[in-house]
């Protein structure tokens, strides 16, 4: 009985890892479409988001079924409830990758952001992708050093996000208003993706240590 | 035993209603600070958000405790898991109200949005506030007509949100780039608040009917 339960808990863990890999891939491709103004890649990301939503539903149904059949308590129960929350954050990361692809598609054949800001957006997207990859590792190994790396990457994204607002406020910013709006939204999407990554890392940290770490404060 | 369980489930329901009232109040005050460029009201909203976070934690702990002690199944189990999700959405609505207040504080003594767009933002905020009030009613009465009203209000917010982007793209838009960025973010915050409201309505609808209604598709 206990063995079967552990196997089912393991399946849920595996699905979380799989979701983190899918959202990493989604952001890789979304950023590729965004950087290259490639509407075909954008379309692919938008279509693939349904797979992430499906996985979330499947994971949630499995978790609820496990709650119903096994009536787990203590750390097992927290693990399952934590999984429901992590799947929700990962699903949202998939949505945000899709939003980046949607912006790319909307502005095609133009680029969404001007060349002057391309390096900042590249750095943000790369940090997001790293966060998603690290989430997979963290979920697999429970090595809390990885959670710390995720926090650092997210802090870096927050700085880059602020630098976008500073760039927009500079007197030499001569882009059109719609470009300013796009840049603002795209930066916000990339920043939120990192926040959700921290939110997942925070839950893993809690499940391992039994304590909420103030470093992972949500905003 | 069953009676006690029902009473505890009722407490969770009451806390959800209370959270919806708090997030309605938060948006009322946040919008007041935003409209009047009043930094004191903004400060009050920002400080009061901790209360919403506290309520969410309390509700979640109560729900997990109930899962552990009673090992509920079937509709009771779905109700408790649904409550965890609804509390997360309501907490996020509180955050978004806080973000509106933070924008008001950031731009004080200036207004965040130019006068030309003030009526659109007023309409969006009012629809958001109505959504939050209706959530309280929906949670209390389970009257699914109210869920339909929430969907309609949110569809109206989506239109207003799009109209903001259209206004920014008009040739007569002569506002500064930072104002364009603020307008974009503020509109996004108000739009997301409505989405989370629909997400809560969707869960209530599911708990009452046992089916996911495609009208409540999340974006």
């Amino acid at each position: 009985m206990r063995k079967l339960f552990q196997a089912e808990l393991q399946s849920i863990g595996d699905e979380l890892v799989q979701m983190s890999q899918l959202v990493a891939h989604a952001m890789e491709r979304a950023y590729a479409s965004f950087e290259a103004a490639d509407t075909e890649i954008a379309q692919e990301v938008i279509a693939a988001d349904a797979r992430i939503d499906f996985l979330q539903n499947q994971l949630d149904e499995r978790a609820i079924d496990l709650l119903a059949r096994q009536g787990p308590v203590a750390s097992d129960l927290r693990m399952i409830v934590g999984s429901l929350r992590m799947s929700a954050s990962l699903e949202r990361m998939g949505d945000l990758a899709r939003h980046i692809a949607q912006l790319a598609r909307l502005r095609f054949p133009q680029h969404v952001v001007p060349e002057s800001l391309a390096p900042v957006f590249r750095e943000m997207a790369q940090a997001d992708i790293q966060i998603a990859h690290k989430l997979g590792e963290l979920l697999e190994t429970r090595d809390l050093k990885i959670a710390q790396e995720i926090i650092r990457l997210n802090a870096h994204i927050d700085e880059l996000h602020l630098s976008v607002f500073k760039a927009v406020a500079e007197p030499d910013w001569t882009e059109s208003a719609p470009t300013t709006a796009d840049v603002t939204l795209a930066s916000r999407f990339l920043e939120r993706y990192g926040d959700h990554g921290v939110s997942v890392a925070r839950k893993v940290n809690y499940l391992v240590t039994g304590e909420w770490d103030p470093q992972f404060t949500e905003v």
Side-chain angles (χ1 to χ4, degrees), chain A:
Chain A
M1 193 73 170
R2 180 74 196 159
K3 228 171 168 177
L4 184 66
F5 178 75
Q6 286 301 335
E8 296 194 75
L9 213 52
Q10 182 65 44
S11 297
I12 291 176
D14 291 346
E15 282 176 341
L16 286 172
V17 171
Q18 204 191 335
M19 281 187 81
S20 69
Q21 289 162 347
L22 285 177
V23 303
H25 183 70
M27 187 53 92
E28 276 161 12
R29 301 298 286 164
Y31 180 67
S33 74
F34 186 91
E35 188 173 40
D38 185 322
T39 188
E40 273 179 45
I41 302 176
Q43 199 55 47
E44 178 200 298
V45 173
I46 294 162
D49 190 41
R51 169 91 187 128
I52 297 169
D53 297 350
F54 174 80
L55 259 183
Q56 186 205 5
N57 285 333
Q58 185 177 289
L59 188 155
D60 287 3
E61 285 307 313
R62 193 193 291 272
I64 292 170
D65 184 56
L66 201 53
L67 288 172
R69 282 188 296 107
Q70 306 270 357
V73 296
S75 63
D76 290 340
L77 173 58
R78 296 219 169 243
M79 184 69 77
I80 297 173
V81 171
S83 299
L84 289 169
R85 289 171 171 157
M86 291 189 268
S87 77
S89 293
L90 288 165
E91 188 271 332
R92 190 72 200 136
M93 290 167 80
D95 288 347
L96 291 161
R98 173 166 54 81
H99 289 345
I100 291 291
Q102 283 167 325
L103 272 177
R105 186 177 64 177
L106 181 68
R107 294 307 170 204
F108 176 80
Q110 246 87 61
H111 286 79
V112 179
V113 301
E115 241 181 276
S116 63
L117 279 184
V120 176
F121 277 86
R122 169 191 286 256
E123 219 176 316
M124 286 180 95
Q126 281 175 344
D128 275 333
I129 294 161
Q130 269 188 284
I131 284 176
H133 283 304
K134 282 185 190 294
L135 280 181
E137 284 172 50
L138 174 64
L139 287 160
E140 248 168 349
T141 64
R142 304 287 168 108
D143 175 355
L144 298 182
K145 278 201 307 290
I146 301 172
Q148 294 298 326
E149 291 165 17
I150 289 171
I151 292 180
R152 272 197 297 277
L153 282 163
N154 189 55
H156 184 51
I157 292 172
D158 288 346
E159 284 167 21
L160 293 166
H161 181 53
L162 280 179
S163 80
V164 169
F165 287 95
K166 278 190 198 132
V168 162
E170 290 291 331
D172 64 355
W173 178 264
T174 54
E175 301 295 333
S176 72
T179 295
T180 304
D182 283 354
V183 157
T184 303
L185 273 187
S187 185
R188 172 79 182 160
F189 296 152
L190 293 171
E191 187 251 340
R192 287 296 297 158
Y193 185 102
D195 285 346
H196 284 288
V198 167
S199 174
V200 174
R202 179 173 178 258
K203 275 160 195 91
V204 174
N205 190 77
Y206 173 71
L207 292 171
V208 172
T209 66
E211 284 177 12
W212 289 113
D213 186 327
Q215 278 188 93
F216 294 83
T217 312
E218 308 212 41
V219 284

